[in-house]
Amino acid sequence: MKKVLIADDEQDILDILKFNLEAEGYMVETANNGVVAIEKAKSFLPDLIILDVMMPGKTGIEVCGVLRMLPAFKSTLIIFLTAMSDDTAEVKGLEIGADDYLKKPIRPKVLMSKVNSLFRRVSKEIDHNINLGELIINRENFSVRYKNEDISLARKEFELLSLLASKPSKVFLRNEILNQIWGTEVIVGDRTIDVHIRKIRQKLNLDCIKTVKGVGYKFEL
Amino acid sequence: MKKVLIADDEQDILDILKFNLEAEGYMVETANNGVVAIEKAKSFLPDLIILDVMMPGKTGIEVCGVLRMLPAFKSTLIIFLTAMSDDTAEVKGLEIGADDYLKKPIRPKVLMSKVNSLFRRVSKEIDHNINLGELIINRENFSVRYKNEDISLARKEFELLSLLASKPSKVFLRNEILNQIWGTEVIVGDRTIDVHIRKIRQKLNLDCIKTVKGVGYKFEL
DNA sequence: AATTGCATTAACAATTTGATAATACCTTTA
DNA sequence: TAAAGGTATTATCAAATTGTTAATGCAATT
């Protein structure tokens, strides 16, 4: 289920968009100004952000600029909402890394078709990626980025981290892990997992993989 | 999505062109003088460059001349914008390697039809080419240019490099590579890929093809 | 027929990765 | 607090993977 964050200072717009997006099965969060939008984006990690250009405090363009600096939002979709009048905004918006823009007044149908088509466009890429803010795993590139640093993992390490990160907070039993990564054919000892976990912790600098004694491991935060 | 760079010293023109091009789905960058145009061209690697002839500092003709010297812009489309008055410019422009010219004042419809038809005209060629700045692969000529030097590759080497370079950063599994280049019928030994990779690395002087152990190869940078 | 160039394979070296065991450590519980 | 059960750490060895070079066979060209 895709997550969408909407930022606008007009409650009406938030309501309309939220209603329509939820009707199509999206998970929606809202923010009524730029600062809140940035905060919520960081915690909610949406797949799409819809930003009003004109907001008190930080404009949508500024918000976009801030977010695009962060690696976690490098590939997040961003759509601008702009009033008919300020058409230079469109220009600046796309330059700064927006994926599309919408003119007010908004036609829900137009919005939904844009949103859907954007998601269709990138659906494959998104499926391949795991984006947890601090941690970005790209299955296509076999690359891992943690706290803004590229980390190179060996194959098993990569698979193990991918597995754990694919469902944050879920505890994976040792058996589950063995089945998923080693398969049912191969039989390896219990310490093997520990050793790989350790290597990951080492490379990622001790964090976020928690041990649940007597049960297994989970990825958190 | 095609990329277009516009260079003009009049902000109005930039805005109008940008608006119209983006409305048709092009990705647009702008520059308000010749020097910036050259810089942006190098980083943005547009498919089309629209150059105003009369610009302070470097004229569009000069910009075109500079860019055409660079192998990365050998096949980039270039359109000149010229004021009605100086019609000698057209001549010089086309001589120096422009693909078309437009007289000011600009009619957006005329522009768009020119742009679209230019892209249609060369769409096939462009698809056949890979342009990564330092590396230029021309599938039609079977030619490879890397760091400003022509490199002659054998058939399999060429195909392998083309494949990897077609999606930079993506890791191609050994199986994928075998399927793409050798097909499913033929069966070749395991070292075959390695040997070809080695030859490419040798000819390209050790760079940009990275090994991902246990997985495959990828092209990067 | 000889030459040349390419694709493939074979053989071996070098490297990286994975698994295990031994040991140290921690936590819980009796 | 000592014992037990589980986990972390480390070193070590085995295995898998890749790199390199040379040799072979084939096909096109001269």
Side-chain angles (χ1 to χ4, degrees), chain B residues 7-42:
Chain B
D8 198 308
D9 55 321
E10 293 170 72
Q11 188 62 41
D12 290 348
I13 304 242
L14 289 180
D15 290 344
I16 293 171
L17 296 189
K18 181 159 178 148
F19 177 83
N20 281 282
L21 286 162
E22 285 181 341
E24 294 240 2
Y26 294 99
M27 192 182 302
V28 180
E29 278 279 334
T30 60
N32 50 29
N33 68 61
V35 180
V36 173
I38 292 173
E39 279 168 25
K40 287 219 177 177
K42 284 179 185 169

PDB file of all heavy atoms in Angstrom, chain B residues 7-42:
ATOM      1  N   ALA B   7      18.914  27.840 -23.801  1.00  0.00           N
ATOM      2  CA  ALA B   7      19.802  28.945 -23.423  1.00  0.00           C
ATOM      3  C   ALA B   7      19.353  30.220 -24.107  1.00  0.00           C
ATOM      4  O   ALA B   7      19.281  30.280 -25.335  1.00  0.00           O
ATOM      5  CB  ALA B   7      21.248  28.616 -23.798  1.00  0.00           C
ATOM      6  N   ASP B   8      19.017  31.184 -23.303  1.00  0.00           N
ATOM      7  CA  ASP B   8      18.606  32.483 -23.826  1.00  0.00           C
ATOM      8  C   ASP B   8      18.825  33.492 -22.716  1.00  0.00           C
ATOM      9  O   ASP B   8      18.743  33.157 -21.541  1.00  0.00           O
ATOM     10  CB  ASP B   8      17.120  32.448 -24.242  1.00  0.00           C
ATOM     11  CG  ASP B   8      16.790  33.602 -25.172  1.00  0.00           C
ATOM     12  OD1 ASP B   8      17.088  34.764 -24.821  1.00  0.00           O
ATOM     13  OD2 ASP B   8      16.237  33.335 -26.256  1.00  0.00           O
ATOM     14  N   ASP B   9      19.100  34.749 -23.083  1.00  0.00           N
ATOM     15  CA  ASP B   9      19.325  35.741 -22.047  1.00  0.00           C
ATOM     16  C   ASP B   9      18.040  36.423 -21.617  1.00  0.00           C
ATOM     17  O   ASP B   9      18.026  37.164 -20.647  1.00  0.00           O
ATOM     18  CB  ASP B   9      20.372  36.773 -22.487  1.00  0.00           C
ATOM     19  CG  ASP B   9      19.979  37.425 -23.795  1.00  0.00           C
ATOM     20  OD1 ASP B   9      19.458  36.709 -24.662  1.00  0.00           O
ATOM     21  OD2 ASP B   9      20.182  38.640 -23.939  1.00  0.00           O
ATOM     22  N   GLU B  10      16.951  36.153 -22.344  1.00  0.00           N
ATOM     23  CA  GLU B  10      15.676  36.750 -21.940  1.00  0.00           C
ATOM     24  C   GLU B  10      14.866  35.758 -21.123  1.00  0.00           C
ATOM     25  O   GLU B  10      14.515  34.679 -21.613  1.00  0.00           O
ATOM     26  CB  GLU B  10      14.869  37.159 -23.168  1.00  0.00           C
ATOM     27  CG  GLU B  10      15.499  38.301 -23.964  1.00  0.00           C
ATOM     28  CD  GLU B  10      14.781  38.488 -25.288  1.00  0.00           C
ATOM     29  OE1 GLU B  10      13.651  38.986 -25.261  1.00  0.00           O
ATOM     30  OE2 GLU B  10      15.357  38.104 -26.327  1.00  0.00           O
ATOM     31  N   GLN B  11      14.579  36.138 -19.901  1.00  0.00           N
ATOM     32  CA  GLN B  11      13.869  35.234 -19.000  1.00  0.00           C
ATOM     33  C   GLN B  11      12.497  34.842 -19.555  1.00  0.00           C
ATOM     34  O   GLN B  11      12.062  33.708 -19.433  1.00  0.00           O
ATOM     35  CB  GLN B  11      13.713  35.886 -17.623  1.00  0.00           C
ATOM     36  CG  GLN B  11      13.159  34.950 -16.542  1.00  0.00           C
ATOM     37  CD  GLN B  11      14.083  33.771 -16.280  1.00  0.00           C
ATOM     38  OE1 GLN B  11      15.296  33.909 -16.231  1.00  0.00           O
ATOM     39  NE2 GLN B  11      13.496  32.589 -16.095  1.00  0.00           N
ATOM     40  N   ASP B  12      11.837  35.784 -20.215  1.00  0.00           N
ATOM     41  CA  ASP B  12      10.508  35.511 -20.765  1.00  0.00           C
ATOM     42  C   ASP B  12      10.544  34.330 -21.715  1.00  0.00           C
ATOM     43  O   ASP B  12       9.726  33.422 -21.648  1.00  0.00           O
ATOM     44  CB  ASP B  12       9.994  36.736 -21.550  1.00  0.00           C
ATOM     45  CG  ASP B  12       9.673  37.884 -20.590  1.00  0.00           C
ATOM     46  OD1 ASP B  12       9.643  37.624 -19.370  1.00  0.00           O
ATOM     47  OD2 ASP B  12       9.472  39.011 -21.071  1.00  0.00           O
ATOM     48  N   ILE B  13      11.518  34.382 -22.590  1.00  0.00           N
ATOM     49  CA  ILE B  13      11.628  33.313 -23.575  1.00  0.00           C
ATOM     50  C   ILE B  13      11.866  31.983 -22.895  1.00  0.00           C
ATOM     51  O   ILE B  13      11.245  30.961 -23.209  1.00  0.00           O
ATOM     52  CB  ILE B  13      12.788  33.617 -24.543  1.00  0.00           C
ATOM     53  CG1 ILE B  13      12.573  34.989 -25.188  1.00  0.00           C
ATOM     54  CG2 ILE B  13      12.928  32.483 -25.555  1.00  0.00           C
ATOM     55  CD1 ILE B  13      12.422  34.967 -26.667  1.00  0.00           C
ATOM     56  N   LEU B  14      12.770  31.992 -21.919  1.00  0.00           N
ATOM     57  CA  LEU B  14      13.038  30.761 -21.180  1.00  0.00           C
ATOM     58  C   LEU B  14      11.744  30.216 -20.586  1.00  0.00           C
ATOM     59  O   LEU B  14      11.438  29.026 -20.700  1.00  0.00           O
ATOM     60  CB  LEU B  14      14.056  31.013 -20.057  1.00  0.00           C
ATOM     61  CG  LEU B  14      15.495  31.282 -20.494  1.00  0.00           C
ATOM     62  CD1 LEU B  14      16.373  31.514 -19.268  1.00  0.00           C
ATOM     63  CD2 LEU B  14      16.035  30.130 -21.325  1.00  0.00           C
ATOM     64  N   ASP B  15      10.988  31.120 -19.956  1.00  0.00           N
ATOM     65  CA  ASP B  15       9.759  30.683 -19.299  1.00  0.00           C
ATOM     66  C   ASP B  15       8.765  30.090 -20.288  1.00  0.00           C
ATOM     67  O   ASP B  15       8.212  29.017 -20.060  1.00  0.00           O
ATOM     68  CB  ASP B  15       9.102  31.866 -18.568  1.00  0.00           C
ATOM     69  CG  ASP B  15       9.916  32.291 -17.349  1.00  0.00           C
ATOM     70  OD1 ASP B  15      10.774  31.497 -16.919  1.00  0.00           O
ATOM     71  OD2 ASP B  15       9.703  33.405 -16.850  1.00  0.00           O
ATOM     72  N   ILE B  16       8.576  30.796 -21.392  1.00  0.00           N
ATOM     73  CA  ILE B  16       7.598  30.327 -22.374  1.00  0.00           C
ATOM     74  C   ILE B  16       7.994  28.964 -22.924  1.00  0.00           C
ATOM     75  O   ILE B  16       7.194  28.033 -22.974  1.00  0.00           O
ATOM     76  CB  ILE B  16       7.485  31.330 -23.544  1.00  0.00           C
ATOM     77  CG1 ILE B  16       6.879  32.642 -23.026  1.00  0.00           C
ATOM     78  CG2 ILE B  16       6.641  30.748 -24.662  1.00  0.00           C
ATOM     79  CD1 ILE B  16       6.935  33.754 -24.033  1.00  0.00           C
ATOM     80  N   LEU B  17       9.241  28.867 -23.331  1.00  0.00           N
ATOM     81  CA  LEU B  17       9.686  27.609 -23.912  1.00  0.00           C
ATOM     82  C   LEU B  17       9.597  26.489 -22.895  1.00  0.00           C
ATOM     83  O   LEU B  17       9.125  25.387 -23.172  1.00  0.00           O
ATOM     84  CB  LEU B  17      11.122  27.731 -24.419  1.00  0.00           C
ATOM     85  CG  LEU B  17      11.336  28.714 -25.572  1.00  0.00           C
ATOM     86  CD1 LEU B  17      12.748  28.584 -26.114  1.00  0.00           C
ATOM     87  CD2 LEU B  17      10.334  28.444 -26.681  1.00  0.00           C
ATOM     88  N   LYS B  18      10.052  26.790 -21.711  1.00  0.00           N
ATOM     89  CA  LYS B  18      10.048  25.768 -20.672  1.00  0.00           C
ATOM     90  C   LYS B  18       8.626  25.276 -20.414  1.00  0.00           C
ATOM     91  O   LYS B  18       8.371  24.074 -20.346  1.00  0.00           O
ATOM     92  CB  LYS B  18      10.640  26.338 -19.382  1.00  0.00           C
ATOM     93  CG  LYS B  18      10.698  25.321 -18.273  1.00  0.00           C
ATOM     94  CD  LYS B  18      11.712  25.688 -17.212  1.00  0.00           C
ATOM     95  CE  LYS B  18      11.636  24.620 -16.127  1.00  0.00           C
ATOM     96  NZ  LYS B  18      12.845  24.335 -15.451  1.00  0.00           N
ATOM     97  N   PHE B  19       7.744  26.220 -20.297  1.00  0.00           N
ATOM     98  CA  PHE B  19       6.352  25.861 -20.036  1.00  0.00           C
ATOM     99  C   PHE B  19       5.815  24.929 -21.113  1.00  0.00           C
ATOM    100  O   PHE B  19       5.259  23.874 -20.831  1.00  0.00           O
ATOM    101  CB  PHE B  19       5.491  27.123 -19.960  1.00  0.00           C
ATOM    102  CG  PHE B  19       4.042  26.836 -19.776  1.00  0.00           C
ATOM    103  CD1 PHE B  19       3.529  26.574 -18.511  1.00  0.00           C
ATOM    104  CD2 PHE B  19       3.183  26.781 -20.872  1.00  0.00           C
ATOM    105  CE1 PHE B  19       2.185  26.275 -18.342  1.00  0.00           C
ATOM    106  CE2 PHE B  19       1.837  26.486 -20.709  1.00  0.00           C
ATOM    107  CZ  PHE B  19       1.340  26.232 -19.440  1.00  0.00           C
ATOM    108  N   ASN B  20       6.028  25.329 -22.352  1.00  0.00           N
ATOM    109  CA  ASN B  20       5.488  24.535 -23.454  1.00  0.00           C
ATOM    110  C   ASN B  20       6.136  23.161 -23.560  1.00  0.00           C
ATOM    111  O   ASN B  20       5.466  22.163 -23.803  1.00  0.00           O
ATOM    112  CB  ASN B  20       5.659  25.293 -24.771  1.00  0.00           C
ATOM    113  CG  ASN B  20       4.603  26.367 -24.931  1.00  0.00           C
ATOM    114  OD1 ASN B  20       3.471  26.077 -25.281  1.00  0.00           O
ATOM    115  ND2 ASN B  20       4.973  27.607 -24.649  1.00  0.00           N
ATOM    116  N   LEU B  21       7.432  23.124 -23.370  1.00  0.00           N
ATOM    117  CA  LEU B  21       8.133  21.847 -23.479  1.00  0.00           C
ATOM    118  C   LEU B  21       7.713  20.906 -22.364  1.00  0.00           C
ATOM    119  O   LEU B  21       7.486  19.714 -22.577  1.00  0.00           O
ATOM    120  CB  LEU B  21       9.645  22.072 -23.444  1.00  0.00           C
ATOM    121  CG  LEU B  21      10.210  22.666 -24.735  1.00  0.00           C
ATOM    122  CD1 LEU B  21      11.586  23.256 -24.497  1.00  0.00           C
ATOM    123  CD2 LEU B  21      10.275  21.595 -25.809  1.00  0.00           C
ATOM    124  N   GLU B  22       7.596  21.463 -21.169  1.00  0.00           N
ATOM    125  CA  GLU B  22       7.225  20.600 -20.045  1.00  0.00           C
ATOM    126  C   GLU B  22       5.800  20.097 -20.195  1.00  0.00           C
ATOM    127  O   GLU B  22       5.494  18.976 -19.803  1.00  0.00           O
ATOM    128  CB  GLU B  22       7.413  21.343 -18.728  1.00  0.00           C
ATOM    129  CG  GLU B  22       8.888  21.446 -18.371  1.00  0.00           C
ATOM    130  CD  GLU B  22       9.127  22.157 -17.052  1.00  0.00           C
ATOM    131  OE1 GLU B  22       8.226  22.864 -16.586  1.00  0.00           O
ATOM    132  OE2 GLU B  22      10.238  21.995 -16.517  1.00  0.00           O
ATOM    133  N   ALA B  23       4.965  20.934 -20.768  1.00  0.00           N
ATOM    134  CA  ALA B  23       3.585  20.511 -20.975  1.00  0.00           C
ATOM    135  C   ALA B  23       3.538  19.286 -21.882  1.00  0.00           C
ATOM    136  O   ALA B  23       2.610  18.487 -21.809  1.00  0.00           O
ATOM    137  CB  ALA B  23       2.783  21.652 -21.580  1.00  0.00           C
ATOM    138  N   GLU B  24       4.541  19.145 -22.723  1.00  0.00           N
ATOM    139  CA  GLU B  24       4.563  17.990 -23.621  1.00  0.00           C
ATOM    140  C   GLU B  24       5.397  16.850 -23.055  1.00  0.00           C
ATOM    141  O   GLU B  24       5.694  15.876 -23.742  1.00  0.00           O
ATOM    142  CB  GLU B  24       5.118  18.407 -24.984  1.00  0.00           C
ATOM    143  CG  GLU B  24       4.223  19.383 -25.702  1.00  0.00           C
ATOM    144  CD  GLU B  24       3.742  18.840 -27.054  1.00  0.00           C
ATOM    145  OE1 GLU B  24       4.088  17.702 -27.401  1.00  0.00           O
ATOM    146  OE2 GLU B  24       3.033  19.576 -27.741  1.00  0.00           O
ATOM    147  N   GLY B  25       5.831  17.023 -21.829  1.00  0.00           N
ATOM    148  CA  GLY B  25       6.515  15.910 -21.170  1.00  0.00           C
ATOM    149  C   GLY B  25       8.021  15.898 -21.283  1.00  0.00           C
ATOM    150  O   GLY B  25       8.659  14.905 -20.976  1.00  0.00           O
ATOM    151  N   TYR B  26       8.602  16.986 -21.729  1.00  0.00           N
ATOM    152  CA  TYR B  26      10.057  17.017 -21.766  1.00  0.00           C
ATOM    153  C   TYR B  26      10.610  17.465 -20.426  1.00  0.00           C
ATOM    154  O   TYR B  26       9.946  18.168 -19.664  1.00  0.00           O
ATOM    155  CB  TYR B  26      10.552  17.965 -22.862  1.00  0.00           C
ATOM    156  CG  TYR B  26      10.220  17.495 -24.253  1.00  0.00           C
ATOM    157  CD1 TYR B  26       9.131  18.007 -24.946  1.00  0.00           C
ATOM    158  CD2 TYR B  26      11.000  16.510 -24.865  1.00  0.00           C
ATOM    159  CE1 TYR B  26       8.813  17.566 -26.228  1.00  0.00           C
ATOM    160  CE2 TYR B  26      10.692  16.061 -26.138  1.00  0.00           C
ATOM    161  CZ  TYR B  26       9.601  16.583 -26.812  1.00  0.00           C
ATOM    162  OH  TYR B  26       9.301  16.132 -28.057  1.00  0.00           O
ATOM    163  N   MET B  27      11.830  17.071 -20.165  1.00  0.00           N
ATOM    164  CA  MET B  27      12.511  17.500 -18.949  1.00  0.00           C
ATOM    165  C   MET B  27      13.396  18.678 -19.349  1.00  0.00           C
ATOM    166  O   MET B  27      14.212  18.540 -20.255  1.00  0.00           O
ATOM    167  CB  MET B  27      13.367  16.355 -18.425  1.00  0.00           C
ATOM    168  CG  MET B  27      13.903  16.545 -17.031  1.00  0.00           C
ATOM    169  SD  MET B  27      14.936  15.122 -16.596  1.00  0.00           S
ATOM    170  CE  MET B  27      13.744  13.789 -16.797  1.00  0.00           C
ATOM    171  N   VAL B  28      13.215  19.790 -18.679  1.00  0.00           N
ATOM    172  CA  VAL B  28      13.851  21.021 -19.161  1.00  0.00           C
ATOM    173  C   VAL B  28      14.827  21.620 -18.159  1.00  0.00           C
ATOM    174  O   VAL B  28      14.559  21.652 -16.964  1.00  0.00           O
ATOM    175  CB  VAL B  28      12.773  22.080 -19.506  1.00  0.00           C
ATOM    176  CG1 VAL B  28      13.412  23.352 -20.009  1.00  0.00           C
ATOM    177  CG2 VAL B  28      11.797  21.526 -20.525  1.00  0.00           C
ATOM    178  N   GLU B  29      15.960  22.073 -18.684  1.00  0.00           N
ATOM    179  CA  GLU B  29      16.897  22.878 -17.903  1.00  0.00           C
ATOM    180  C   GLU B  29      17.108  24.175 -18.668  1.00  0.00           C
ATOM    181  O   GLU B  29      16.970  24.209 -19.889  1.00  0.00           O
ATOM    182  CB  GLU B  29      18.237  22.160 -17.768  1.00  0.00           C
ATOM    183  CG  GLU B  29      18.283  21.117 -16.656  1.00  0.00           C
ATOM    184  CD  GLU B  29      18.530  21.744 -15.288  1.00  0.00           C
ATOM    185  OE1 GLU B  29      19.125  22.837 -15.221  1.00  0.00           O
ATOM    186  OE2 GLU B  29      18.129  21.104 -14.299  1.00  0.00           O
ATOM    187  N   THR B  30      17.457  25.225 -17.938  1.00  0.00           N
ATOM    188  CA  THR B  30      17.666  26.496 -18.627  1.00  0.00           C
ATOM    189  C   THR B  30      19.019  27.097 -18.280  1.00  0.00           C
ATOM    190  O   THR B  30      19.635  26.753 -17.264  1.00  0.00           O
ATOM    191  CB  THR B  30      16.585  27.524 -18.234  1.00  0.00           C
ATOM    192  OG1 THR B  30      16.653  27.738 -16.824  1.00  0.00           O
ATOM    193  CG2 THR B  30      15.205  27.033 -18.598  1.00  0.00           C
ATOM    194  N   ALA B  31      19.462  27.995 -19.145  1.00  0.00           N
ATOM    195  CA  ALA B  31      20.700  28.733 -18.902  1.00  0.00           C
ATOM    196  C   ALA B  31      20.495  30.112 -19.482  1.00  0.00           C
ATOM    197  O   ALA B  31      19.891  30.252 -20.547  1.00  0.00           O
ATOM    198  CB  ALA B  31      21.872  28.037 -19.592  1.00  0.00           C
ATOM    199  N   ASN B  32      20.965  31.143 -18.782  1.00  0.00           N
ATOM    200  CA  ASN B  32      20.726  32.480 -19.314  1.00  0.00           C
ATOM    201  C   ASN B  32      21.938  33.109 -19.986  1.00  0.00           C
ATOM    202  O   ASN B  32      21.938  34.276 -20.327  1.00  0.00           O
ATOM    203  CB  ASN B  32      20.141  33.401 -18.246  1.00  0.00           C
ATOM    204  CG  ASN B  32      20.952  33.352 -16.971  1.00  0.00           C
ATOM    205  OD1 ASN B  32      22.158  33.093 -17.041  1.00  0.00           O
ATOM    206  ND2 ASN B  32      20.317  33.575 -15.848  1.00  0.00           N
ATOM    207  N   ASN B  33      22.963  32.325 -20.183  1.00  0.00           N
ATOM    208  CA  ASN B  33      24.051  32.792 -21.045  1.00  0.00           C
ATOM    209  C   ASN B  33      24.848  31.601 -21.568  1.00  0.00           C
ATOM    210  O   ASN B  33      24.651  30.460 -21.135  1.00  0.00           O
ATOM    211  CB  ASN B  33      24.953  33.784 -20.308  1.00  0.00           C
ATOM    212  CG  ASN B  33      25.728  33.121 -19.184  1.00  0.00           C
ATOM    213  OD1 ASN B  33      26.524  32.209 -19.427  1.00  0.00           O
ATOM    214  ND2 ASN B  33      25.477  33.567 -17.959  1.00  0.00           N
ATOM    215  N   GLY B  34      25.744  31.899 -22.469  1.00  0.00           N
ATOM    216  CA  GLY B  34      26.445  30.838 -23.166  1.00  0.00           C
ATOM    217  C   GLY B  34      27.343  29.989 -22.286  1.00  0.00           C
ATOM    218  O   GLY B  34      27.416  28.769 -22.437  1.00  0.00           O
ATOM    219  N   VAL B  35      28.004  30.637 -21.350  1.00  0.00           N
ATOM    220  CA  VAL B  35      28.935  29.894 -20.496  1.00  0.00           C
ATOM    221  C   VAL B  35      28.183  28.896 -19.628  1.00  0.00           C
ATOM    222  O   VAL B  35      28.549  27.728 -19.531  1.00  0.00           O
ATOM    223  CB  VAL B  35      29.738  30.873 -19.603  1.00  0.00           C
ATOM    224  CG1 VAL B  35      30.694  30.108 -18.724  1.00  0.00           C
ATOM    225  CG2 VAL B  35      30.478  31.880 -20.468  1.00  0.00           C
ATOM    226  N   VAL B  36      27.103  29.383 -19.030  1.00  0.00           N
ATOM    227  CA  VAL B  36      26.279  28.488 -18.214  1.00  0.00           C
ATOM    228  C   VAL B  36      25.721  27.359 -19.068  1.00  0.00           C
ATOM    229  O   VAL B  36      25.654  26.205 -18.633  1.00  0.00           O
ATOM    230  CB  VAL B  36      25.120  29.272 -17.559  1.00  0.00           C
ATOM    231  CG1 VAL B  36      24.167  28.318 -16.846  1.00  0.00           C
ATOM    232  CG2 VAL B  36      25.657  30.303 -16.582  1.00  0.00           C
ATOM    233  N   ALA B  37      25.342  27.699 -20.292  1.00  0.00           N
ATOM    234  CA  ALA B  37      24.795  26.687 -21.190  1.00  0.00           C
ATOM    235  C   ALA B  37      25.778  25.541 -21.379  1.00  0.00           C
ATOM    236  O   ALA B  37      25.400  24.368 -21.326  1.00  0.00           O
ATOM    237  CB  ALA B  37      24.462  27.318 -22.540  1.00  0.00           C
ATOM    238  N   ILE B  38      27.016  25.874 -21.569  1.00  0.00           N
ATOM    239  CA  ILE B  38      28.028  24.830 -21.782  1.00  0.00           C
ATOM    240  C   ILE B  38      28.170  23.959 -20.541  1.00  0.00           C
ATOM    241  O   ILE B  38      28.196  22.735 -20.606  1.00  0.00           O
ATOM    242  CB  ILE B  38      29.379  25.462 -22.171  1.00  0.00           C
ATOM    243  CG1 ILE B  38      29.251  26.103 -23.562  1.00  0.00           C
ATOM    244  CG2 ILE B  38      30.481  24.417 -22.178  1.00  0.00           C
ATOM    245  CD1 ILE B  38      30.452  26.895 -24.000  1.00  0.00           C
ATOM    246  N   GLU B  39      28.233  24.623 -19.385  1.00  0.00           N
ATOM    247  CA  GLU B  39      28.323  23.868 -18.126  1.00  0.00           C
ATOM    248  C   GLU B  39      27.136  22.933 -17.956  1.00  0.00           C
ATOM    249  O   GLU B  39      27.298  21.736 -17.702  1.00  0.00           O
ATOM    250  CB  GLU B  39      28.328  24.822 -16.931  1.00  0.00           C
ATOM    251  CG  GLU B  39      29.674  25.449 -16.638  1.00  0.00           C
ATOM    252  CD  GLU B  39      29.510  26.586 -15.642  1.00  0.00           C
ATOM    253  OE1 GLU B  39      28.517  26.560 -14.879  1.00  0.00           O
ATOM    254  OE2 GLU B  39      30.359  27.507 -15.642  1.00  0.00           O
ATOM    255  N   LYS B  40      25.951  23.508 -18.097  1.00  0.00           N
ATOM    256  CA  LYS B  40      24.746  22.701 -17.877  1.00  0.00           C
ATOM    257  C   LYS B  40      24.659  21.562 -18.889  1.00  0.00           C
ATOM    258  O   LYS B  40      24.215  20.471 -18.563  1.00  0.00           O
ATOM    259  CB  LYS B  40      23.498  23.575 -17.960  1.00  0.00           C
ATOM    260  CG  LYS B  40      23.339  24.485 -16.749  1.00  0.00           C
ATOM    261  CD  LYS B  40      21.881  24.590 -16.316  1.00  0.00           C
ATOM    262  CE  LYS B  40      21.738  25.438 -15.058  1.00  0.00           C
ATOM    263  NZ  LYS B  40      20.356  25.632 -14.642  1.00  0.00           N
ATOM    264  N   ALA B  41      25.064  21.835 -20.093  1.00  0.00           N
ATOM    265  CA  ALA B  41      25.035  20.789 -21.113  1.00  0.00           C
ATOM    266  C   ALA B  41      25.884  19.614 -20.671  1.00  0.00           C
ATOM    267  O   ALA B  41      25.480  18.461 -20.776  1.00  0.00           O
ATOM    268  CB  ALA B  41      25.530  21.340 -22.448  1.00  0.00           C
ATOM    269  N   LYS B  42      27.044  19.917 -20.114  1.00  0.00           N
ATOM    270  CA  LYS B  42      27.950  18.849 -19.703  1.00  0.00           C
ATOM    271  C   LYS B  42      27.375  18.006 -18.580  1.00  0.00           C
ATOM    272  O   LYS B  42      27.576  16.793 -18.529  1.00  0.00           O
ATOM    273  CB  LYS B  42      29.299  19.432 -19.279  1.00  0.00           C
ATOM    274  CG  LYS B  42      30.153  19.867 -20.459  1.00  0.00           C
ATOM    275  CD  LYS B  42      31.468  20.459 -19.969  1.00  0.00           C
ATOM    276  CE  LYS B  42      32.277  21.022 -21.138  1.00  0.00           C
ATOM    277  NZ  LYS B  42      33.416  21.837 -20.651  1.00  0.00           N
TER     278      LYS B  42
END
